[in-house]
Amino acid sequence: MALGVLLGALLALGMSFSPRLQRWMMPLVITSQAIPVFALAPLLVLWFGFGMSAKVAMAVLVIFFPVTSAFFDGLRWVPCSRWGCPFRRGCSAG
């Protein structure tokens, strides 16, 4: 669970700071939320086997995408003065 949160938060931070990464990854994140994760379960079992790794991959996928989109939306809509980061995209120096 922590791995999904960590990866989602890192991707959201990266998309917040890099417009190019945002343009490339955001459509993939949004599209991937339309695919039920449980539909991927047979593929995960084929790739990782019946062991714990398939279950961990499923948990990471279930957690990763909602955390990424929520974290990114939170970073995008917080005013720059509250965020405390003047070099963030869209903030002015004054």
Side-chain angles (χ1 to χ4, degrees):
M1 193 160 88
L3 182 62
V5 171
L6 178 69
L7 292 174
L10 287 175
L11 180 61
L13 280 170
M15 288 191 312
S16 177
F17 284 112
S18 172
R20 178 179 282 168
L21 183 64
Q22 177 188 352
R23 282 192 309 270
W24 187 67
M25 288 299 295
M26 199 58 176
L28 295 174
V29 170
I30 291 170
T31 304
S32 67
Q33 286 183 338
I35 300 170
V37 178
F38 296 107
L40 298 176
L43 290 174
L44 293 174
V45 170
L46 284 174
W47 292 335
F48 297 112
F50 289 105
M52 189 60 119
S53 58
K55 295 171 184 139
V56 169
M58 178 69 80
V60 167
L61 285 175
V62 166
I63 294 166
F64 174 76
F65 297 110
V67 166
T68 302
S69 63
F71 202 92
F72 177 71
D73 284 342
L75 288 174
R76 190 172 56 174
W77 294 111
V78 172
C80 294
S81 61
R82 299 249 179 192
W83 212 61
C85 187
F87 57 86
R88 185 172 182 268
R89 185 189 61 171
C91 292
S92 62

